[in-house]
Amino acid sequence: MSKLKTIWGNRWVKFGVVSVIYLLWFVVWTGNLWLLLGLVVIYDIYISKTMYRLFWRKHKERKRTNKTYRKTSEWVEAILFATVVATLIRIFVFEMYVIPTPSMEKSMLVGDYLCVSKTAYGPRIPNTPISMPLVHNTMPFSQTKKSFVEWIKWPYHRLKGFGNVKRNDPVVFNFPEGDTVSLAYPSDSYYNALRQYQRRYGDRRGRQMLMDEGIVVRPVDKRENYVKRAVGLPGDTIFIEHSEMWINGQPQADIPGKQYNYTVVTNGTPVNPDVFEDMGVAKDDIHYDAANYAYVELPLTAENARRMRSMGNVTAIIKREGEGADPDIFPQSENYPWNVDNFGPLWIPSKGSTVDLTVENLPLYRRIIETYEGNKLEIKDGRIYINGTPADKYTFAMDYYFMMGDNRHNSLDSRYWGFVPEDHIVGKPSFVWMSLDKDKSFPANIRWNRIFSKVK
């Protein structure tokens, strides 16, 4: 042991070990050669000690002789160290995330605290590196004050991870339509609110009215976090018919906890509330129409639906299915009269693939071309122009995904806002840290979390 202490006491050994760790983590892993300048700082800390002689020695001397200064500086140093470490962990390793909506019930509940692994798919280098540590997009106690500045913007770059997004993985990602946020409707999609305003007041007036109420623009890494399941991967073709999904011509694999909304008709005798509690149906989801002896918009899994059919006081159970064209469904075009239960077929773009562009199919890819991949797109005299050049084809620069919630009739997902670009992917939920369901909280959930790996 004394020999090891002697070896570690050598300043060149310390410099070498720290330099290797720094090179592997901050230079090789990130691929940023500018970070080689950090070796100069490490050399000064362990070898030349120039900064120590100029500043740090005086600081240590004052700490030794001044008790108040010592106590204050110790607190400041501890807070700074903890903040730096926590920020690095949050960027490169994992982040805690709270489930805001019921779109993934029964898999994940509203209010569950997820531990989201950044290394599963590779952590992203922040687009906005200058920001308030440990907060997302707004300052504490404010709904509008930005927690970041955009003086420096870094392009999308993802570090090497342990794997890629697999079909049916639960994935945390930045909300694709979160680039613009209406201050009047901060929890809603700005584009959905805009469509509602334009239908009511006309295109020009509706847009101006919403703008007058205030909007904020956010970079990719500061958009709201969502969690859904990656049901479609780059290059897949997805199709939904009568609420059932098909992927590349094959039925989607069974997903434990997937549920739809039903109308459950009784003979006049309501269902015992204990039955709903046992099935895990939330009280807020139980709506009984006493006049028609029916429960309406009741979310049920296939197993719970079979269970209710077997009850003596249940006379009918009807699965909800959308009819006709829904103007709020992607791509919000008359050329594609789809709804949540009858959707597609839709091909999901992959990096390097090329698609033939026409005025008819442009609604499917316009947002990718303009917003996600930053091109200028125009239509003149029936022709498509990209960056001023006539275009009848387009080659995609990124991979894209199709995300859906397990609570199929209570999920705002890709059926409403389309594709999720690869640069929006945050990470993969590893486990639930805290949950209203005690069986889903860590460490009891170690067995429960195998639900994530059951779906292949």
Side-chain angles (χ1 to χ4, degrees):
M1 184 63 70
S2 61
K3 189 174 182 180
L4 287 175
K5 287 182 178 180
T6 302
I7 294 173
W8 181 245
N10 186 298
R11 60 180 182 167
W12 287 101
V13 172
K14 290 182 179 180
F15 169 71
V17 171
V18 174
S19 295
V20 168
I21 295 173
Y22 178 85
L23 284 170
L24 291 175
W25 188 353
F26 289 101
V27 180
V28 176
W29 195 22
T30 65
N32 190 340
L33 296 180
W34 282 103
L35 293 177
L36 285 171
L37 295 174
L39 291 176
V40 176
V41 177
I42 297 173
Y43 180 84
D44 185 69
I45 290 173
Y46 291 103
I47 307 300
S48 64
K49 299 185 181 293
T50 302
M51 296 299 294
Y52 175 82
R53 289 193 298 271
L54 291 176
F55 303 106
W56 200 250
R57 184 165 55 188
K58 295 178 182 179
H59 167 67
K60 293 188 72 174
E61 179 64 23
R62 193 173 178 187
K63 281 177 65 176
R64 188 179 65 81
T65 58
N66 188 318
K67 183 178 180 180
T68 302
Y69 181 83
R70 181 173 67 252
K71 292 293 184 182
T72 303
S73 61
E74 285 175 352
W75 274 103
V76 171
E77 289 167 9
I79 291 171
L80 286 174
F81 177 78
T83 301
V84 170
V85 171
T87 300
L88 290 174
I89 290 174
R90 188 169 181 258
I91 292 173
F92 292 102
V93 186
F94 70 85
E95 182 178 359
M96 303 309 293
Y97 169 73
V98 183
I99 300 292
T101 70
S103 66
M104 287 295 287
E105 291 188 11
K106 297 290 192 291
S107 302
M108 289 172 265
L109 307 179
V110 174
D112 281 359
Y113 281 79
L114 296 181
C115 177
V116 179
S117 169
K118 301 292 186 72
T119 58
Y121 308 130
R124 296 175 303 178
I125 298 299
N127 301 116
T128 50
I130 302 177
S131 63
M132 176 66 69
L134 307 181
V135 297
H136 189 40
N137 48 35
T138 57
M139 296 293 287
F141 313 110
S142 172
Q143 296 294 319
T144 58
K145 183 68 174 177
K146 290 182 179 180
S147 64
F148 57 95
V149 296
E150 299 180 79
W151 305 334
I152 298 176
K153 286 186 177 181
W154 288 347
Y156 166 62
H157 178 61
R158 186 179 298 277
L159 308 186
K160 184 68 176 176
F162 290 118
N164 300 312
V165 177
K166 296 181 177 60
R167 186 173 291 109
N168 294 323
D169 272 359
V171 177
V172 173
F173 56 93
N174 296 117
F175 180 37
E177 288 193 341
D179 56 329
T180 307
V181 178
S182 168
L183 297 181
Y185 306 97
S187 61
D188 192 10
S189 163
Y190 161 80
Y191 299 96
N192 180 57
L194 177 61
R195 287 191 293 272
Q196 304 301 326
Y197 270 61
Q198 289 179 325
R199 287 173 196 155
R200 183 177 299 179
Y201 304 109
D203 288 356
R204 188 171 180 179
R205 186 183 173 206
R207 181 183 294 274
Q208 189 59 51
M209 289 177 67
L210 192 59
M211 292 283 288
D212 290 344
E213 291 177 343
I215 64 169
V216 293
V217 178
R218 291 172 178 164
V220 171
D221 62 331
K222 297 303 180 184
R223 297 170 192 174
E224 293 299 330
N225 291 322
Y226 274 40
V227 58
K228 309 288 181 187
R229 201 176 291 278
V231 297
L233 301 181
D236 284 350
T237 297
I238 61 108
F239 178 56
I240 303 173
E241 184 177 33
H242 303 307
S243 73
E244 297 299 328
M245 172 166 277
W246 297 74
I247 302 169
N248 301 326
Q250 299 297 319
Q252 184 185 31
D254 183 52
I255 296 175
K258 182 179 69 175
Q259 57 185 12
Y260 300 95
N261 282 3
Y262 293 82
T263 296
V264 178
V265 183
T266 70
N267 58 10
T269 303
V271 176
N272 189 324
D274 291 341
V275 173
F276 290 125
E277 184 176 356
D278 185 56
M279 291 192 301
V281 179
K283 290 182 180 180
D284 291 343
D285 291 333
I286 302 171
H287 308 287
Y288 187 63
D289 179 1
N292 295 300
Y293 308 131
Y295 293 90
V296 295
E297 298 297 320
L298 188 67
L300 298 172
T301 62
E303 180 182 352
N304 286 341
R306 285 193 295 270
R307 180 174 174 180
M308 295 211 73
R309 283 192 181 93
S310 67
M311 295 179 183
N313 59 333
V314 173
T315 59
I317 179 166
I318 306 161
K319 187 179 184 180
R320 191 186 91 181
E321 182 174 338
E323 297 181 354
D326 185 340
D328 290 324
I329 290 295
F330 178 81
Q332 294 87 34
S333 168
E334 293 179 355
N335 294 338
Y336 300 92
W338 300 338
N339 60 51
V340 292
D341 297 308
N342 296 279
F343 183 99
L346 176 67
W347 174 75
I348 304 170
S350 59
K351 183 176 181 178
S353 60
T354 300
V355 66
D356 292 329
L357 279 186
T358 65
V359 174
E360 287 71 27
N361 72 3
L362 185 60
L364 296 173
Y365 309 112
R366 181 163 199 155
R367 185 166 174 82
I368 289 179
I369 297 169
E370 287 186 311
T371 304
Y372 303 146
E373 300 192 357
N375 298 286
K376 181 181 178 182
L377 189 148
E378 299 174 290
I379 300 178
K380 298 177 183 178
D381 300 323
R383 294 198 67 182
I384 299 170
Y385 290 79
I386 298 178
N387 299 324
T389 303
D392 57 6
K393 296 180 183 296
Y394 183 77
T395 300
F396 298 95
M398 288 192 290
D399 282 330
Y400 292 84
Y401 301 86
F402 197 89
M403 306 286 186
M404 287 179 66
D406 293 350
N407 199 355
R408 291 294 167 84
H409 285 142
N410 293 287
S411 174
L412 290 173
D413 49 38
S414 285
R415 292 171 294 179
Y416 290 87
W417 30 257
F419 308 108
V420 176
E422 65 173 77
D423 67 343
H424 285 54
I425 301 296
V426 175
K428 181 178 181 180
S430 297
F431 58 85
V432 177
W433 180 249
M434 291 187 292
S435 174
L436 296 175
D437 185 342
K438 60 181 176 59
D439 293 330
K440 292 184 179 180
S441 288
F442 183 84
N445 63 9
I446 293 298
R447 183 175 299 174
W448 174 84
N449 274 287
R450 291 174 186 167
I451 190 173
F452 293 152
S453 61
K454 286 180 180 177
V455 184
K456 299 296 184 183

